[in-house]
Amino acid sequence: MASLSDLSLHHLLFVAFLLVFTSPTTFGEIRYTEIRSDSRSTIPFDEFGFTHSGRLNLNLSEIALSNPRSELSLLGFYLCTRDAWDQVLQQLHDAEIQCPLQSEHVKVVFTFAQLGPNPSRAYNTSFKVSDANQFTLLFSNCISDLKVSMNVHSVMYNFNPRTGQLDYLSAGRTSLPLIYFLFFLVYLALGAFWVFTLFKNRLSTYHIHYFMLTVVILKALNLLFEAEDKSYIKRTGTAHGWDILFYLFSFLKGIMLFTLIVLIGTGWSFLKPFLQDKEKKVLMIVIPLQVVANIAQVVIDETGPFGENSYTWKKIFLLVDIICCCAVLFPIVWSIKNLREAAKMDGKAAVNLVKLTLFRQYYIVVISYIYFTRVVVYALETITSYKFEWTGVVAAELATLAFYIFTGYNFRPKAHNPYFAIDDEEEEAAAEALKLEDEFEL
């Protein structure tokens, strides 16, 4: 694809590989956090969906207080649900309690009063969670101007009494390894079918069709490594390096998918053998933005939902994702406009009407796909119970699969191209249709 050489794609890939391979190692549901001279009244650490046999292991070390003589019962860790937190805030507002640790709506794991006369020593505790629910682990410091330093190592898991195994994935995510693997098999079959289609219609196959095959293969590998990543976390609490492969292929899949949408939108390969300057500029915008989006995703995953600067990176990821989604729509709009003008200029109304209809359909499908995976899936995850977190993943993957199938079917190689199999009657009918469209728009 010589027309894309101006994008310096090799340099972008090299930089992205460095960023991925030098990122911190994920700990899955095992978190290690360093707190240094922090005076925040509340520090959230992690969120986890517990079953009736859940457990939290907490290890503290290098504990240091700016004033060791403070009332240590007002410092400590506890578990709290989202609903209970609203009640705690109401109690604080009504001055019923001084500190969340005093509320009956939270599960106190331990307070610093249990450290005894030497609060700087290390402390280990194991807390059993018998109430099935999604809890957030928090630390409260209800002493004004007191600065706290400590290393916090937290491990959350569920015990399966039937198998005797520990499950480090949240209750609503424990089925993800199987779900991702099943989708991997689907894409593997889809890739095999696409290879057969290309071989069967090799005389009418264009470069864009091989590009589609690459996207399907990368998507399949991304799902395979995501299944392995979640499987290792489920069993051990850590990813054992599988997260690196997952991030790598997630990055490649993201770039290639957006590039494919742009190339199809421009009509590259099957309508024209080149890209215009403005179309190249779109790719030059989309590819670097995808690098930034993947960096943001790595940071969010590694630091957890409440990690330092996690909220900032979430906003960056959302902004970049929106820009990318908008950018890929421009080439499709340009192609639709060019086809309408060409239909009026060269007299091949029927040929261009078929192309125009196809690009209009693709434009609507791309918008629907973006809206569903960015908005509907997020809403589904928000309103769904923690036990059914996996439904958001299934919905997103089904939408993606449907988008891949639609794209492949409508832009597949064909031995007899309908663009060039138009008779005179169809030509006249198409010309009349275009004329009516123009009158309607006026």
Side-chain angles (χ1 to χ4, degrees):
M1 196 168 11
S3 59
L4 299 180
S5 60
D6 296 337
L7 301 177
S8 301
L9 184 57
H10 295 295
H11 292 89
L12 288 172
L13 291 176
F14 178 72
V15 172
F17 289 168
L18 288 178
L19 289 168
V20 170
F21 281 106
T22 55
S23 63
T25 305
T26 184
F27 288 88
E29 302 306 333
I30 299 177
R31 301 286 181 189
Y32 180 80
T33 309
E34 293 183 354
I35 305 295
R36 292 293 177 265
S37 299
D38 200 321
S39 59
R40 284 180 290 172
S41 59
T42 302
I43 304 176
F45 282 89
D46 209 353
E47 202 170 37
F48 191 81
F50 289 99
T51 63
H52 291 289
S53 56
R55 189 169 291 274
L56 162 67
N57 295 337
L58 196 63
N59 172 266
L60 304 181
S61 60
E62 298 185 24
I63 303 171
L65 306 177
S66 59
N67 182 9
R69 296 184 180 181
S70 301
E71 179 56 51
L72 299 183
S73 63
L74 297 179
L75 291 90
F77 288 84
Y78 58 97
L79 293 170
C80 185
T81 65
R82 295 182 181 181
D83 292 336
W85 184 245
D86 293 334
Q87 295 175 309
V88 171
L89 291 177
Q90 186 62 45
Q91 287 181 313
L92 290 170
H93 180 267
D94 296 339
E96 296 179 15
I97 58 174
Q98 288 181 280
C99 185
L101 292 163
Q102 299 170 337
S103 174
E104 70 277 13
H105 299 296
V106 306
K107 294 181 178 294
V108 178
V109 178
F110 93 102
T111 67
F112 275 34
Q114 296 172 248
L115 295 175
N118 183 18
S120 62
R121 69 184 179 89
Y123 186 85
N124 289 284
T125 185
S126 182
F127 186 83
K128 186 176 181 181
V129 183
S130 56
D131 297 335
N133 211 327
Q134 183 158 313
F135 288 91
T136 302
L137 175 64
L138 302 106
F139 170 79
S140 273
N141 171 11
C142 301
I143 303 173
S144 59
D145 300 325
L146 179 68
K147 295 181 179 180
V148 180
S149 297
M150 57 183 167
N151 295 337
V152 182
H153 183 251
S154 62
V155 182
M156 300 185 192
Y157 58 89
N158 293 310
F159 176 72
N160 190 333
R162 290 180 298 177
T163 62
Q165 295 179 332
L166 306 183
D167 189 343
Y168 291 91
L169 283 180
S170 183
R173 302 175 65 83
T174 187
S175 57
L176 287 185
L178 176 60
I179 290 173
Y180 284 127
F181 185 73
L182 291 177
F183 274 106
F184 158 72
L185 294 179
V186 172
Y187 278 95
L188 192 64
L190 192 63
F193 178 77
W194 192 247
V195 170
F196 170 76
T197 301
L198 297 185
F199 179 78
K200 183 179 178 181
N201 301 282
R202 54 189 178 276
L203 296 179
S204 54
T205 297
Y206 299 104
H207 294 302
I208 192 70
H209 296 123
Y210 294 106
F211 198 96
M212 292 180 184
L213 176 62
T214 303
V215 173
V216 172
I217 292 173
L218 288 175
K219 176 63 177 177
L221 291 174
N222 174 239
L223 288 166
L224 175 63
F225 292 127
E226 190 158 13
E228 287 295 326
D229 176 44
K230 294 297 184 290
S231 178
Y232 269 81
I233 293 176
K234 177 183 174 73
R235 288 177 285 163
T236 67
T238 61
H240 289 73
W242 284 103
D243 56 321
I244 296 177
L245 289 172
F246 159 66
Y247 287 134
L248 172 61
F249 281 95
S250 179
F251 162 75
L252 292 174
K253 181 262 300 178
I255 282 186
M256 297 293 273
L257 177 59
F258 275 98
T259 303
L260 176 63
I261 295 174
V262 172
L263 293 178
I264 290 178
T266 62
W268 179 80
S269 186
F270 58 88
L271 290 185
K272 59 184 181 183
F274 61 88
L275 293 178
Q276 298 176 351
D277 288 340
K278 62 181 180 180
E279 295 164 348
K280 292 180 182 178
K281 289 177 181 178
V282 171
L283 282 175
M284 292 177 69
I285 293 173
V286 168
I287 293 178
L289 285 177
Q290 277 296 296
V291 174
V292 175
N294 279 270
I295 295 171
Q297 189 62 60
V298 170
V299 173
I300 293 170
D301 290 345
E302 297 299 323
T303 58
F306 307 111
E308 186 177 3
N309 299 322
S310 180
Y311 181 67
T312 301
W313 280 103
K314 285 180 182 178
K315 290 193 293 185
I316 292 174
F317 175 78
L318 179 61
L319 176 62
V320 168
D321 198 41
I322 291 174
I323 295 174
C324 283
C325 292
C326 293
V328 298
L329 295 175
F330 283 108
I332 307 177
V333 174
W334 295 334
S335 292
I336 292 173
K337 181 180 178 182
N338 292 337
L339 286 170
R340 286 191 59 82
E341 293 175 352
K344 299 173 184 177
M345 296 292 292
D346 60 16
K348 296 180 180 179
V351 172
N352 285 291
L353 182 60
V354 173
K355 298 176 185 177
L356 183 61
T357 303
L358 181 58
F359 275 87
R360 280 177 173 171
Q361 291 175 349
Y362 193 62
Y363 176 77
I364 294 172
V365 169
V366 170
I367 290 179
S368 301
Y369 169 69
I370 292 172
Y371 179 80
F372 186 88
T373 55
R374 269 66 178 178
V375 179
V376 177
V377 171
Y378 175 77
L380 181 65
E381 292 173 342
T382 302
I383 64 176
T384 303
S385 169
Y386 78 98
K387 293 182 289 186
F388 303 104
E389 279 187 279
W390 56 269
T391 57
V393 173
V394 172
E397 291 300 336
L398 285 175
T400 303
L401 179 62
F403 178 71
Y404 276 52
I405 292 175
F406 176 87
T407 303
Y409 177 80
N410 284 278
F411 296 96
R412 67 191 185 277
K414 301 177 183 178
H416 301 287
N417 197 321
Y419 294 163
F420 305 106
I422 307 294
D423 58 26
D424 293 338
E425 292 184 1
E426 291 174 315
E427 177 72 29
E428 293 176 3
E432 185 65 25
L434 285 171
K435 183 180 178 181
L436 289 174
E437 280 191 16
D438 290 337
E439 292 177 355
F440 179 76
E441 290 179 0
L442 291 174

